[in-house]
Amino acid sequence: MENQMIIQTETLSEIVAEKITEIIKSRGLVAGDQIPTELELIEMLGVGRSSVREAIKTLVSRNVLEIRRGKGTFICQKPVLPEDPLGLSFTPDKVKTYKDLLAVRMVLEPWMAGEAARNATEEDIRKIYDLCGEVERQILAGEEHMEKDREFHTAIAESTKNEVIPAIIPHIIKSVSLFIEMTHNTLGNETIETHRAICEAIARHDSAAAENAMRNHIRYNEEAIGIKH
Amino acid sequence: MENQMIIQTETLSEIVAEKITEIIKSRGLVAGDQIPTELELIEMLGVGRSSVREAIKTLVSRNVLEIRRGKGTFICQKPVLPEDPLGLSFTPDKVKTYKDLLAVRMVLEPWMAGEAARNATEEDIRKIYDLCGEVERQILAGEEHMEKDREFHTAIAESTKNEVIPAIIPHIIKSVSLFIEMTHNTLGNETIETHRAICEAIARHDSAAAENAMRNHIRYNEEAIGIKH
């Protein structure tokens, strides 16, 4: 049923493009690596040559693959997928990349939370609380909460009233999803607790407390992959 | 002559798309505003209806414009242009947006310079020095130096060995070009002086000095638009 829904909204070449991306990931290929030949892809996917060509063209136009004449098709040095706006897939060491992402979050997001506490309007605070409650409900129900989690962090970004922060933070939070299997299902309670602390500090316009709560939130993620403090 | 070169590498609809973007900017239209009608664009640009339609389609697919049926064509809430990766064009108050950009730079880039000082290899240091020299030469010759300036900051981003920083910094530095007319030609000496101080601190692996030099570099930009410290 899910496949049928996809067929209604996506073209065949987009589906084939996604399947090629899955093959690349499942084989652990990284930036700069050569992908299977056209003939291999035709056999693996059971689709025609024209569909594979069309799909590769799509991935080339999206800056994921590049064709080197006479050599084959390769993964770009900085591949960009819609679900990976910063191009962090296909790096050779996922733990290292995730640590690097958390290091950037640790610099930007506590500051952002402090700015949000300074500038959030009553309407912003209501929105942040609502999203906090939604994420909490989804975690407790064992549902997927990445989408609402991103909305929660984006609402904080917007309530800073800095116009550049909301242009960066959603990409960073979206990238977190790429590493979710590293911490999955182990941080439910900590997420609920630290999200609430962030909400309360922003509602009190207490920027030091908001910074601190965000720092704790990110620290739990760091500890989950073995970074000690 | 320059136009001829563009025609060789771009399609007509891309040229018309660029011209429409110029019209939008020159009229001071902002996110959410309606653009001139198809008929007005045909008259203003002296091209056929099909070219204008094709160009608008291109801008819709790039998330710059959106068509509301029965209402007209509008600028997206978060338009993204190749020269504006963070979607900061079309904001109503350019000075405010540039201040916001400098505030984000002030959080990220001194930290980045410190990380670069910790982790730069001899090869990184040579590259940073070379680019610093190039920018300096261009400034002294009165040439356009934004491209090399971006390469200089990107080389620092890469020498941190954090894989996420180089995915963010080039977008931030590219966005700086959007505001260049606010500080243009007034910061030549300060740029030369602070770039050199950044280079020297990174070469000595002195992270505190590198942070400090980067902070001064951004501070000069803030002072140029009237932010006091």
Side-chain angles (χ1 to χ4, degrees):
Chain A
M1 283 310 279
E2 218 184 313
N3 256 325
Q4 267 188 326
M5 280 189 57
I6 292 171
I7 287 165
Q8 282 167 357
T9 55
E10 293 184 312
T11 66
L12 181 61
S13 85
E14 275 169 358
I15 296 168
V16 176
E18 272 170 35
K19 290 209 182 289
I20 292 173
T21 310
E22 280 166 26
I23 289 170
I24 290 170
K25 286 186 181 170
S26 70
R27 293 202 171 184
L29 298 176
V30 299
D33 281 353
Q34 187 165 12
I35 69 160
T37 64
E38 203 175 271
L39 212 67
E40 286 174 286
L41 291 170
I42 290 167
E43 280 172 14
M44 290 164 82
L45 298 169
V47 295
R49 182 180 297 263
S50 65
S51 302
V52 167
R53 284 204 177 154
E54 199 59 38
I56 286 175
K57 240 196 245 172
T58 303
L59 291 169
V60 167
S61 76
R62 282 186 199 155
N63 210 20
V64 174
L65 297 179
E66 57 180 340
I67 296 167
R68 298 189 204 144
R69 262 165 227 267
K71 288 191 177 168
T73 306
F74 294 78
I75 303 170
C76 288
Q77 282 307 322
K78 292 204 185 302
V80 175
L81 298 164
E83 74 272 20
D84 175 23
L86 298 177
L88 306 180
S89 303
F90 315 118
T91 55
D93 182 349
K94 281 198 87 145
V95 176
K96 157 91 169 72
T97 309
Y98 187 48
K99 277 185 188 174
D100 290 349
L101 183 63
L102 287 170
V104 171
R105 292 189 66 187
M106 198 55 121
V107 172
L108 267 182
E109 292 188 59
W111 168 71
M112 168 184 85
E115 290 292 294
R118 269 178 213 103
N119 300 311
T121 63
E122 288 309 304
E123 201 188 326
D124 292 328
I125 291 167
R126 243 191 326 273
K127 190 174 177 189
I128 293 169
Y129 260 108
D130 284 350
L131 286 165
C132 181
E134 263 299 293
V135 173
E136 195 166 321
R137 193 194 58 70
Q138 289 179 332
I139 290 174
L140 293 172
E143 292 169 18
E144 175 52 47
H145 66 277
M146 285 309 297
E147 183 59 37
K148 285 287 165 198
D149 200 292
R150 191 163 84 235
E151 285 179 34
F152 172 75
H153 286 270
T154 303
I156 295 171
E158 281 166 357
S159 62
T160 63
K161 308 304 170 208
N162 177 308
E163 292 168 44
V164 180
I165 300 176
I168 297 173
I169 290 298
H171 298 320
I172 289 177
I173 302 298
K174 196 160 195 183
S175 304
V176 171
S177 320
L178 298 172
F179 306 96
I180 190 70
E181 74 275 16
M182 289 187 201
T183 57
H184 209 38
N185 292 332
T186 64
L187 288 176
N189 289 335
E190 290 83 352
T191 300
I192 290 173
E193 175 208 314
T194 51
H195 273 194
R196 269 196 210 161
I198 294 166
C199 280
E200 283 160 16
I202 292 174
R204 287 200 312 275
H205 301 291
D206 182 342
S207 60
E211 278 189 37
N212 215 33
M214 185 63 89
R215 209 168 279 124
N216 287 336
H217 179 58
I218 299 165
R219 195 167 285 153
Y220 277 125
N221 282 278
E222 290 185 330
E223 284 170 0
I225 57 161
I227 301 174
K228 287 192 188 81
H229 287 281
Chain B
M1 284 308 282
E2 216 183 316
N3 257 325
Q4 267 189 325
M5 279 189 60
I6 292 172
I7 288 165
Q8 282 168 356
T9 56
E10 294 183 312
T11 66
L12 180 62
S13 83
E14 274 168 0
I15 296 168
V16 176
E18 271 170 36
K19 289 209 181 290
I20 293 173
T21 310
E22 279 165 27
I23 289 171
I24 292 170
K25 285 185 182 172
S26 70
R27 291 200 172 185
L29 299 175
V30 299
D33 281 354
Q34 187 165 12
I35 69 160
T37 63
E38 204 176 88
L39 213 65
E40 287 175 284
L41 291 171
I42 289 166
E43 281 173 13
M44 291 164 82
L45 298 170
V47 295
R49 182 179 296 265
S50 65
S51 301
V52 167
R53 285 205 177 153
E54 199 60 37
I56 287 175
K57 240 196 245 172
T58 302
L59 290 169
V60 167
S61 77
R62 283 186 199 155
N63 210 21
V64 175
L65 297 178
E66 58 180 339
I67 297 166
R68 297 188 204 144
R69 261 165 228 271
K71 290 191 174 166
T73 304
F74 295 79
I75 303 170
C76 288
Q77 281 308 321
K78 291 201 186 303
V80 176
L81 298 165
E83 74 272 19
D84 175 22
L86 298 177
L88 306 180
S89 301
F90 313 120
T91 55
D93 182 349
K94 282 198 84 145
V95 176
K96 157 92 169 71
T97 309
Y98 187 50
K99 277 185 189 174
D100 290 348
L101 184 64
L102 287 171
V104 170
R105 292 189 67 186
M106 198 53 122
V107 173
L108 267 182
E109 291 188 59
W111 168 71
M112 169 183 86
E115 291 292 294
R118 268 178 215 102
N119 299 311
T121 63
E122 288 309 303
E123 202 189 324
D124 292 328
I125 292 167
R126 241 189 330 269
K127 190 174 177 187
I128 293 168
Y129 260 109
D130 284 350
L131 287 164
C132 181
E134 263 299 292
V135 174
E136 196 167 319
R137 192 194 57 71
Q138 289 178 332
I139 291 174
L140 293 173
E143 293 170 18
E144 174 53 46
H145 67 277
M146 285 308 297
E147 183 59 36
K148 285 288 165 199
D149 200 294
R150 191 163 86 236
E151 284 179 37
F152 172 74
H153 286 269
T154 303
I156 295 171
E158 281 167 358
S159 63
T160 63
K161 307 306 168 204
N162 177 309
E163 292 169 42
V164 179
I165 300 174
I168 297 173
I169 291 298
H171 297 321
I172 290 177
I173 302 298
K174 197 160 195 181
S175 304
V176 171
S177 321
L178 298 171
F179 307 97
I180 191 69
E181 74 273 16
M182 289 186 200
T183 57
H184 209 38
N185 291 333
T186 64
L187 288 176
N189 289 335
E190 291 83 352
T191 300
I192 289 173
E193 175 207 315
T194 51
H195 274 195
R196 268 195 211 163
I198 294 166
C199 281
E200 282 160 16
I202 291 174
R204 288 199 312 274
H205 301 290
D206 182 341
S207 59
E211 278 188 37
N212 215 32
M214 184 64 88
R215 207 168 282 124
N216 287 337
H217 180 57
I218 300 166
R219 194 167 286 153
Y220 278 125
N221 281 279
E222 290 184 331
E223 285 170 0
I225 57 162
I227 301 174
K228 287 194 187 81
H229 286 282

